Amino acid sequence: MAKKKDENGPVDAHGDHRFPPPAEFKKAARVSDESIYERAAADPQAFWAGFAEELRWETPWKEVHTFDPPDAKWFIGGKLNACVNCVDRHIEGPHRNKAALIWEGEPGEKKTWTYFDLYREVNRFGNVLRKLGIKKGDRVAIYLPMMLESVAAMLACARVGAVHSVVFGGFSSESLRDRILDADAHLLITADGGFRRGKVLALKEAADAAVEGCACIENVLVIQRGIPGHECSMKEGRDHWYHDLADQVDAWCEPEVMDSEDPLFILYTSGTTGKPKGIVHTTGGYLTGTYATTRVVFDLKDDDVYWCTADIGWVTGHSYIVYGPLAAAATQIIYEGAPDAPDRGRFWRICERYGVTVFYTAPTAIRAFMKWGDDWPAGADLSRLRLLGSVGEPINPEAWLWYHEHIGSGRCPIVDTWWQTETGQILITPLPGVTVTKPGSAAKAFPGVDVEILSDEGEKIDGETGLLAIRGSWPAMTRGIWGDRQRFIETYWSKWEGIYFPGDGAKRDEDGFFWVIGRVDDVINVAGHRLGTAEVESALVEHASVAESAVVGIPHEIKGTAVAAFVTVREGFETGDELAGELKAHVAEKIGAIARPESIIFAADLPKTRSGKIMRRLLRDIAEGKALGDTTTLADPSVVESLKSQYDDEA
Ligand code: WTA
């Protein structure tokens, strides 16, 4: 066990800590011995099919799986509906009146939907979609805050066979427009607003700006969040209040029967080039993969109160708020706002009030909690917590140990889960009733998943840093990038023959545990959110003053990584704090607040290789204030010297 700070001085975060599952946890765990790994490895198809069989299929599958890289198919010939599996299936049994979603608005309103409430809502919502002409295969963009209706909106799309594309409510109208256009969405679902740190998010205004110039959008459906004194304009013929239409439709909405391989949703994520890519997920495999991992990784039992703090705008919200937990008939918490509104104890009061038992959040949040001090969690009764999870970026051992001690009271196993938008489901994780965890390691591949560390050339590497590689396929694996097959192949399937390349560096230790280091491509992970450096660069050069820019990630105490932007300005523009402030605001407006650069570094020139490539490694070192490495490949080494001395002067 970790030593308590007050007993024996500070904990050495880099010591050899190992945490076996507590005996009490293990005794009651769904999975409590290693045999699951052997069983899954011996017959992965039977292993996954076992979970799929717990779902409802309208037509059984004929074949479990085929994989012709990069094309995977799961539960071939099977027919099902994801919404029916997450809702209808539960109202026929003992879960009819079980709380499905417990919501708290940031200002403090509370609302609970049972599975039967959710059932009524998704039926009405599905009929509203049909009333607006939405049919199977149509794309629907969703731009909403964290509301109960947001979950209903996604499930209603699934019910009528429409493909949802959820866009995080913190993204700018321009980002929303790009995603609407790329997916050719016919309908946009938004709200009159939401709350974040006491401020009203003007979502409808942003949505209006986004659909300007989107010929594909026929209707905008607006959910009323209810914000006193806040009105939003409604465009005649295009905009509709959800509650008006919901009053006019039937209570029953016949679900579409979907093929296992029919698309369920598109979710955009950042890549190495400027344009975000639409990651496509299909129905049967995705539902099976998220359901299985929810059950096994979060050990969910009937009386658990589960809280995943992600937003539905990210994949974590899709897989571990909407599809996995609802397929597992979980009771879960949905909270609208910020963790420090109105004060830094908000999350812990929510845990206390609802008796949260399983809590899943991101390292960036944990680091913020750490900084805010131990008194906030100590002031709440967290004694019902029994399992903690982490996702989105590597968790540093200091944060892991703090989480374990101050949130979990040393009693709760921690599952550090590695996965991606593309993988759809957790692929590397401890099993809470089985694994002896080590702080900072995501432990082992989930049963039935084959992960290894390879070199660029495809040789196996042990004990040293290499590239994460995944062999074979798994049910929730992405089936492609929307409308861009070539990019799909180039991004994930061109490094090695038939092996998936996630873009992360990692190493494996002597116990076979994985230690994920982070992205090895031009994607940076800011506070657990993926950003392409090229995206930020192209936003910057759209500003009149910017001639050229290069963006790198630099270490940040809370965010893990922060954006640092090197900028050369056009003739006639004055560099300084004022322009730096303007450029930061410009990026936030173009992409969203998450992309706002932490620092802008003005430079006379940017260091390039002879072939004209910007030397990011060097820039990173400069931004971090490190000594210069090998600069011999530079076209003009003096550039770097002047850049470095300038930066040193400023620092
Ligand atoms: C990183 C989020 C280390 C990784 C679910 C990956 C992690 C990217 C972990 C995907 C973890 C996610 N340890 N790194 N436990 N979880 N990552 O698509 O770099 O938003 O490639 O999916 O986050 O981010 P995405």
Side-chain angles (χ1 to χ4, degrees):
M1 295 291 285
K3 290 178 187 157
K4 284 207 171 79
K5 272 189 191 163
D6 44 343
E7 284 170 4
N8 298 306
V11 172
D12 171 15
H14 300 284
D16 185 20
H17 301 283
R18 285 162 200 253
F19 295 88
E24 210 179 316
F25 187 98
K26 194 178 176 82
K27 206 163 71 194
R30 281 181 173 274
V31 178
S32 58
D33 69 75
E34 299 260 350
S35 65
I36 187 171
Y37 288 104
E38 288 140 41
R39 192 159 52 81
D43 192 348
Q45 299 208 8
F47 173 74
W48 292 115
F51 289 100
E53 275 160 16
E54 293 175 23
L55 300 174
R56 176 178 305 168
W57 296 79
E58 309 306 328
T59 308
W61 59 86
K62 294 193 180 69
E63 199 180 345
V64 174
H65 170 230
T66 58
F67 183 44
D68 178 13
D71 299 309
K73 290 198 171 104
W74 282 87
F75 310 111
I76 299 152
K79 310 242 185 258
L80 76 168
N81 183 286
C83 177
V84 166
N85 273 286
C86 292
V87 186
D88 303 41
R89 193 161 59 92
H90 306 315
I91 64 148
E92 288 147 26
H95 297 129
R96 182 185 184 90
N97 296 317
K98 183 181 176 182
L101 304 168
I102 300 172
W103 176 81
E104 257 197 45
E106 198 186 75
E109 313 99 303
K110 299 174 182 66
K111 202 154 66 173
T112 298
W113 278 359
T114 62
Y115 273 94
F116 193 52
D117 291 327
L118 182 60
Y119 169 80
R120 284 198 300 255
E121 198 72 35
V122 295
N123 273 281
R124 294 237 176 240
F125 212 130
N127 282 334
V128 167
L129 296 178
R130 286 205 172 124
K131 193 179 168 75
L132 293 173
I134 296 300
K135 45 188 197 319
K136 182 173 173 174
D138 287 347
R139 271 81 56 207
V140 173
I142 296 180
Y143 186 60
L144 287 171
M146 290 297 282
M147 298 163 74
L148 295 179
E149 290 80 0
S150 312
V151 176
M154 293 165 72
L155 292 169
C157 287
R159 190 168 195 90
V160 302
V163 179
H164 58 71
S165 165
V166 182
V167 180
F168 173 55
F171 273 128
S172 67
S173 48
E174 214 167 293
S175 297
L176 173 59
R177 183 191 300 136
D178 289 347
R179 287 157 173 79
I180 288 173
L181 290 173
D182 188 79
D184 187 27
H186 299 328
L187 172 70
L188 171 64
I189 307 176
T190 187
D192 50 352
F195 285 98
R196 184 84 188 170
R197 290 206 175 84
K199 288 208 196 91
V200 173
L201 298 175
L203 279 177
K204 176 64 166 59
E205 281 81 344
D208 284 342
V211 297
E212 244 357 274
C214 284
C216 54
I217 291 288
E218 291 154 7
N219 293 290
V220 176
L221 186 61
V222 188
I223 300 172
Q224 198 167 37
R225 159 70 179 84
I227 301 169
H230 176 79
E231 299 234 335
C232 66
S233 66
M234 299 288 282
K235 187 170 171 180
E236 187 74 35
R238 184 197 70 185
D239 299 353
H240 316 267
W241 285 109
Y242 168 70
H243 56 267
D244 285 344
L245 299 188
D247 275 350
Q248 301 165 17
V249 296
D250 287 346
W252 164 250
C253 171
E254 182 73 30
E256 252 337 296
V257 175
M258 305 298 284
D259 189 88
S260 180
E261 284 300 330
D262 276 338
L264 178 62
F265 66 85
I266 304 171
L267 183 59
Y268 285 83
T269 189
S270 294
T272 48
T273 63
K275 210 168 110 201
K277 47 198 174 183
I279 300 300
V280 177
H281 283 287
T282 58
T283 309
Y286 175 80
L287 203 63
T288 302
T290 54
Y291 170 72
T293 45
T294 300
R295 280 263 190 245
V296 174
V297 178
F298 299 115
D299 189 48
L300 277 193
K301 315 251 176 52
D302 220 20
D303 57 354
D304 271 312
V305 178
Y306 165 86
W307 184 16
C308 165
T309 68
D311 190 282
I312 51 151
W314 310 110
V315 74
T316 307
H318 284 61
S319 299
Y320 297 108
I321 294 177
V322 180
Y323 292 106
L326 292 178
T331 292
Q332 54 183 326
I333 307 297
I334 308 267
Y335 168 58
E336 176 188 39
D340 52 355
D343 63 47
R344 295 169 167 179
R346 185 66 185 266
F347 269 25
W348 316 124
R349 284 197 299 279
I350 293 178
C351 285
E352 174 177 312
R353 183 172 299 128
Y354 303 104
V356 172
T357 57
V358 180
F359 180 74
Y360 190 31
T361 196
T364 185
I366 299 166
R367 289 190 295 264
F369 301 145
M370 246 174 116
K371 201 171 168 202
W372 296 344
D374 307 347
D375 289 349
W376 291 108
D381 177 4
L382 303 179
S383 61
R384 287 194 177 265
L385 283 174
R386 63 180 197 89
L387 176 61
L388 304 174
S390 172
V391 61
E393 51 180 314
I395 179 164
N396 45 310
E398 294 84 353
W400 197 106
L401 290 167
W402 185 89
Y403 196 29
H404 187 256
E405 187 68 38
H406 294 277
I407 306 304
S409 292
R411 177 190 75 239
C412 307
I414 296 181
V415 285
D416 171 7
T417 62
W418 178 93
W419 58 294
Q420 308 178 295
T421 306
E422 295 86 338
T423 69
Q425 65 178 83
I426 293 167
L427 290 191
I428 308 178
T429 178
L431 299 184
V434 177
T435 313
V436 178
T437 51
K438 304 183 194 183
S441 167
K444 298 195 172 182
F446 188 81
V449 177
D450 188 359
V451 181
E452 52 188 23
I453 306 287
L454 297 180
S455 69
D456 256 320
E457 290 73 38
E459 287 148 12
K460 258 185 130 146
I461 295 183
D462 260 325
E464 274 169 64
T465 304
L467 302 170
L468 213 50
I470 308 162
R471 277 187 194 280
S473 97
W474 56 97
M477 175 171 123
T478 177
R479 304 300 196 258
I481 295 175
W482 182 257
D484 202 342
R485 169 111 182 141
Q486 200 47 39
R487 189 172 176 196
F488 178 56
I489 293 169
E490 279 164 18
T491 311
Y492 309 105
W493 303 97
S494 302
K495 172 95 43 207
W496 312 292
E497 182 76 38
I499 303 173
Y500 177 79
F501 170 56
D504 275 18
K507 74 176 186 196
R508 189 178 207 171
D509 69 15
E510 61 287 357
D511 298 324
F513 273 44
F514 291 100
W515 297 75
V516 179
I517 284 130
R519 305 289 308 188
V520 295
D521 52 8
D522 291 331
V523 171
I524 50 182
N525 193 325
V526 180
H529 302 317
R530 272 164 73 170
L531 267 180
T533 51
E535 259 176 280
V536 184
E537 287 162 6
S538 57
L540 279 166
V541 297
E542 279 174 45
H543 191 272
S545 69
V546 177
E548 195 176 24
S549 89
V551 164
V552 295
I554 51 168
H556 185 277
E557 195 192 350
I558 304 285
K559 297 177 181 172
T561 309
V563 174
F566 287 80
V567 167
T568 63
V569 296
R570 289 180 193 282
E571 201 78 24
F573 284 91
E574 202 170 311
T575 59
D577 286 352
E578 198 180 319
L579 183 59
E582 203 180 301
L583 292 177
K584 288 180 188 178
H586 170 79
V587 173
E589 199 190 303
K590 284 271 160 193
I591 302 175
I594 51 165
R596 180 193 297 270
E598 194 73 17
S599 50
I600 300 274
I601 300 153
F602 293 107
D605 211 345
L606 296 175
K608 299 202 179 116
T609 60
R610 284 178 219 286
S611 64
K613 273 196 178 161
I614 290 179
M615 301 185 73
R616 286 171 199 283
R617 179 184 55 81
L618 196 74
L619 292 178
R620 222 173 296 143
D621 287 349
I622 293 169
E624 282 178 43
K626 277 195 195 145
L628 289 179
D630 175 20
T631 60
T632 50
T633 48
L634 264 182
D636 178 5
S638 67
V639 165
V640 180
E641 285 310 321
S642 76
L643 204 52
K644 184 177 185 307
S645 59
Q646 184 196 338
Y647 183 72
D648 286 347
D649 289 347
E650 281 172 16

